Amino acid sequence: MPAPGGPPGDEEDRGGLWAAFGGLTTRGRSFLAAGVAATACAYVLGQVDLLRVGLLLAVLPVVCVVVLHLTRHRVTGSRRLAPARVPASAEARVSLRVDNVSRLPTGLLMLQDRVPYVLGPRPRFVLDRMEPGGRREVSYRVRADLRGRYPLGPLQLRLTDPFGMCELTRGFSAYDTLTVVPRVDRLPPVRLGGEAAGHGDGRYRVLALAGEDDVIPRGYRHGDDLRRVHWRSTARYGELMVRREERPRRAHCTVLLDTRAVAYEGAGPGSPFEWAVSGAASVASHLMERGFTVRLLTDTGSALPGHDASSGGYASSSPDPSGAAGLMLDALAVIDHSEGSGLSPAHDALLGAGGEGLLVAFLGDLDEPQAALAARMRPRGGTAVAFVLSTATWSGAPEGDPAHREAEERLRVLRDAGWTALPVAPGTALPDLWRLAGAPGPAGGPYGVGAYDAPGGPYGVPGAALADGYGAGGYGTAAVPGAAADGTAAGPARAVAAGGGAAGDGATGGGAPGGGAGGRA
């Protein structure tokens, strides 16, 4: 968006003509002093020619000041920033334009834009003399490795007369803001659960109010399709009535970002906290592109801007997923460490939301109580994936260090609770971990999340084997040993149906036909 220069915005424009004399250069002051001295000598000596020379020397800088003062208010400036939102380490172009709207030419111009130190040196440009009605355009690039919001401006223009007698500065009040958002990685398409069952890519459609038998009409609204008119109700109520439109039920996902200052060490682009912020941005953007409604939650229990309160705190991916994703990225651009020391607020927020769908968490260091609390956050009947960034891994501690054993113990606690817990090492790419989180594993394996193309058909979470030994079958095909499509031979323990069938007893083979059943390993 262009940022017009508009009215002057600095104090130098408020002093009027007398303040403009403060812009006299050394040459201008010398000419003025010489003119005054020559005029005085001519008066004392009675030399008319010397008086003429003195008046010329004194009047010239005065005329330059007056002309430059008038010209300064007839020069406009504008700025255009493209794009206004960039990921970290990417460049944005800033274009500056100066217009001379007066009937007088300008002298030499020096253009300067104020930018924060982290964006690079302050850009300066020297512009040649501008003719009346002329225009000059220049541009420069800015780049930031750290996310945040950075002000650009105000723009300053220094004008000089052709004789070099005076220099005046024109300031413009308008400024722009460059938003540097976290880097977003493209993630591979894997199925982690939490998607709604149904047609196509894991979605299904339900009727508006009362399920399959819902034929309750509503009043006709401008723009409704006439083919949806319900004639029986129209005749009954005496006005046009239309059938309610079916609407899709979307899959839900909560992305939990641990921002506790005590959970991370270090700062800068390569720090674990910046990795976690970038990971949360990548996962939220990826899932919204795939049709999820996403809620971005922090350890403080508050949802970041971009959510829709009417949908339970989830950001809607329709009709404009880029708009909701942009709001989330803007919020993540300025997120900082919290002063909290625990995950209790996030736990309470998850319980209040009902604990459904997919949960993806980016966690820092966890002590024993926080690991146990995080383990209880796993949604019932849903899938939970945790990327754990422990200080022991990022600090480069030796392999036999007790901190490594403690970190492994925290991962084991999460996995025993049914989490897909993955340790994050420095330099690890999120797409690789995301693909690993969706890789199928044997019952009781370390990750326990089914892949997209695992046996069991397109519904549910086919081929999933959770870390605590629960198997999950898909529609039509047994996904793991001990799980049959009709719910039989589920294993010695009670079966848990995750592919769409009802839970049955593994010993007796109970369970709804057509739904896969899992058995405890």
Side-chain angles (χ1 to χ4, degrees), residues 48-431:
V48 179
D49 294 335
L50 184 60
L51 178 61
R52 294 171 181 170
V53 173
L55 291 176
L56 177 62
L57 294 177
V59 169
L60 182 59
V62 174
V63 173
C64 291
V65 169
V66 174
V67 173
L68 201 60
H69 176 72
L70 297 176
T71 304
R72 175 177 62 172
H73 295 282
R74 303 294 292 173
V75 177
T76 62
S78 62
R79 179 193 303 103
R80 183 181 297 273
L81 176 61
R85 181 196 293 134
V86 296
S89 301
E91 290 185 342
R93 178 181 290 274
V94 183
S95 300
L96 305 176
R97 192 182 75 182
V98 179
D99 294 275
N100 181 15
V101 296
S102 70
R103 298 180 180 180
L104 298 175
T106 66
L108 197 65
L109 304 177
M110 189 180 77
L111 195 61
Q112 175 179 280
D113 205 10
R114 293 182 181 179
V115 299
Y117 174 76
V118 295
L119 296 183
R122 182 171 296 180
R124 293 183 175 91
F125 304 93
V126 177
L127 306 180
D128 293 334
R129 173 179 176 274
M130 290 180 58
E131 66 281 0
R135 174 184 298 176
R136 298 289 185 273
E137 294 186 4
V138 293
S139 64
Y140 64 95
R141 294 182 178 272
V142 291
R143 172 181 174 179
D145 294 327
L146 288 175
R147 55 188 176 81
R149 287 197 180 103
Y150 301 97
L152 302 178
L155 181 64
Q156 289 185 335
L157 183 64
R158 182 177 297 177
L159 300 89
T160 305
D161 66 281
F163 299 101
M165 299 289 179
C166 182
E167 287 185 356
L168 297 180
T169 301
R170 170 77 189 273
F172 303 95
S173 59
Y175 65 93
D176 284 294
T177 300
L178 175 66
T179 303
V180 180
V181 300
R183 187 185 70 253
V184 176
D185 296 322
R186 300 291 299 178
L187 302 181
V190 299
R191 172 163 290 183
L192 297 176
E195 295 175 295
H199 301 285
D201 190 16
R203 305 173 187 172
Y204 68 91
R205 303 177 64 86
V206 295
L207 294 176
L209 294 178
E212 295 180 358
D213 296 331
D214 177 27
V215 292
I216 301 177
R218 61 167 175 83
Y220 176 83
R221 299 171 185 170
H222 179 70
D224 285 340
D225 192 349
L226 292 178
R227 289 174 296 182
R228 291 173 49 210
V229 173
H230 194 261
W231 298 109
R232 181 180 299 175
S233 299
T234 299
R236 177 180 179 182
Y237 294 102
E239 60 176 332
L240 278 179
M241 306 292 290
V242 296
R243 295 186 301 272
R244 294 183 182 273
E245 190 70 35
E246 292 183 350
R247 64 182 182 183
R249 176 179 174 183
R250 297 187 176 275
H252 296 296
C253 173
T254 299
V255 178
L256 174 62
L257 176 60
D258 183 6
T259 63
R260 296 172 299 143
V262 298
Y264 301 93
E265 289 187 0
S271 63
F273 181 65
E274 294 301 324
W275 195 100
V277 173
S278 176
S282 302
V283 170
S285 300
H286 172 72
L287 293 179
M288 291 183 68
E289 290 176 357
R290 294 193 52 209
F292 279 75
T293 53
V294 180
R295 177 178 58 168
L296 193 56
L297 194 69
T298 65
D299 58 289
T300 62
S302 59
L304 295 186
H307 67 280
D308 183 6
S310 64
S311 60
Y314 291 89
S316 176
S317 60
S318 177
D320 183 15
S322 61
L327 292 176
M328 285 190 175
L329 291 178
D330 288 344
L332 287 173
V334 295
I335 196 171
D336 202 355
H337 290 292
S338 67
E339 299 298 330
S341 58
L343 300 174
S344 298
H347 176 265
D348 297 339
L350 288 173
L351 289 181
E356 63 174 357
L358 173 65
L359 174 61
V360 181
F362 292 85
L363 306 174
D365 263 336
L366 298 174
D367 54 18
E368 186 174 353
Q370 298 308 315
L373 183 62
R376 295 196 296 270
M377 293 182 185
R378 178 178 177 268
R380 294 182 179 180
T383 303
V385 181
F387 301 94
V388 183
L389 298 89
S390 63
T391 303
T393 305
W394 284 76
S395 62
E399 193 64 31
D401 192 277
H404 282 290
R405 292 195 296 270
E406 294 179 1
E408 288 295 331
E409 178 63 23
R410 308 294 181 258
L411 291 175
R412 189 190 66 79
V413 171
L414 293 177
R415 291 167 182 166
D416 287 346
W419 281 77
T420 301
L422 301 174
V424 180
T428 306
L430 178 62

